[in-house]
Amino acid sequence: MKQKVKLWVRDVEEFFFCPMVFYFSVVLGISKDEGYWAELGKEIQEEAEQVIAKSFEVQAKEFRLESEKLGVVGKADFVVKDGNFLAPLEVKYSSKLKPWWKYSAILYAIMLEEVIKKPVKRAFIYLTEANRIVSVEIRDEDRKFVVESVKNCHEILRGKQPKAKVSKSCENCDYKQMCLEFD
Ligand code: SF4
């Protein structure tokens, strides 16, 4: 079924992190402080581009992707050649891979498939702080999880109650106080 409302990949990434974060930031529109890190990201992206160009044949940069099926739009940082296939590549300013980034990369891969009408086998994440490129296989179970998560996001937008995902990440969560007060 086609979704009328379009979500951004970064909105769905909030859901991957925690459905309550998606609810506070996307549904209620309570923004968190991006500040320093958002600005730093833009600068480092330029440096990262040089590293990526040495490792891959870059086909596109900031490539807009739109999925009619999922009702999601986004911009892949890069689209690169992966053997006979294409793959999205995301740049993250960290030394460690976070699970929610992996799922966002898979979402980009699914969207890329829909746009180019060809299979996408992998996605890549460049971790600038480790100077490491991680390869993410698009496994069936991960694909299913990502598609189900997007459906859940649309349902929460339509009024479904979100569920908190309590984890060690709660400690540094921007919405911790609101979450405690949420009934
Ligand atoms: S405090 Fe934890 S459960 Fe609450 S919104 Fe943040 S990450 Fe989710």
Side-chain angles (χ1 to χ4, degrees):
M1 189 182 84
K2 277 187 189 178
Q3 302 285 352
K4 283 183 192 155
V5 177
K6 294 277 194 306
L7 287 162
W8 284 88
V9 173
R10 62 173 174 266
D11 297 336
V12 184
E13 189 169 278
E14 304 276 35
F15 180 94
F16 293 140
F17 179 76
C18 170
M20 286 302 288
V21 168
F22 172 82
Y23 177 73
F24 289 131
S25 79
V26 181
V27 181
L28 299 187
I30 304 165
S31 61
K32 53 188 176 188
D33 188 14
E34 302 277 0
Y36 174 72
W37 286 103
E39 283 308 308
L40 184 67
K42 280 176 203 149
E43 284 172 25
I44 296 182
Q45 188 140 352
E46 286 168 16
E47 290 172 26
E49 194 171 348
Q50 293 168 10
V51 176
I52 291 158
K54 281 184 193 158
S55 308
F56 293 96
E57 197 178 312
V58 175
Q59 298 290 295
K61 187 184 160 196
E62 295 190 3
F63 187 64
R64 185 184 161 88
L65 292 167
E66 181 159 355
S67 166
E68 283 297 325
K69 279 188 215 157
L70 296 175
V72 181
V73 291
K75 259 187 203 167
D77 286 342
F78 295 89
V79 174
V80 297
K81 285 265 276 181
D82 179 25
N84 292 326
F85 301 95
L86 292 179
L89 184 152
E90 290 300 292
V91 179
K92 297 295 181 188
Y93 316 108
S94 172
S95 56
K96 280 191 184 162
L97 178 65
K98 312 282 188 200
W100 49 93
W101 292 341
K102 183 183 105 170
Y103 291 125
S104 294
I106 293 171
L107 177 54
Y108 277 122
I110 296 170
M111 292 166 74
L112 183 61
E113 275 183 342
E114 190 178 324
V115 170
I116 63 174
K117 298 185 175 54
K118 285 182 183 162
V120 172
K121 302 288 186 187
R122 291 192 293 178
F124 296 97
I125 300 171
Y126 174 43
L127 300 170
T128 60
E129 298 301 294
N131 195 21
R132 185 163 73 98
I133 294 169
V134 179
S135 163
V136 179
E137 301 292 328
I138 317 295
R139 297 183 306 174
D140 286 348
E141 61 264 41
D142 291 332
R143 183 187 288 271
K144 203 171 157 206
F145 173 77
V146 167
V147 170
E148 279 304 311
S149 296
V150 172
K151 275 189 202 157
N152 255 302
C153 289
H154 284 289
E155 283 170 12
I156 292 170
L157 277 177
R158 289 195 292 266
K160 184 181 159 185
Q161 183 87 355
K163 280 194 191 134
K165 188 159 104 187
V166 178
S167 70
K168 60 182 181 189
S169 300
C170 294
E171 189 56 40
N172 298 316
C173 176
D174 289 325
Y175 302 103
K176 187 166 62 176
Q177 199 51 42
M178 264 174 261
C179 188
L180 286 171
E181 289 163 9
F182 191 81
D183 190 18

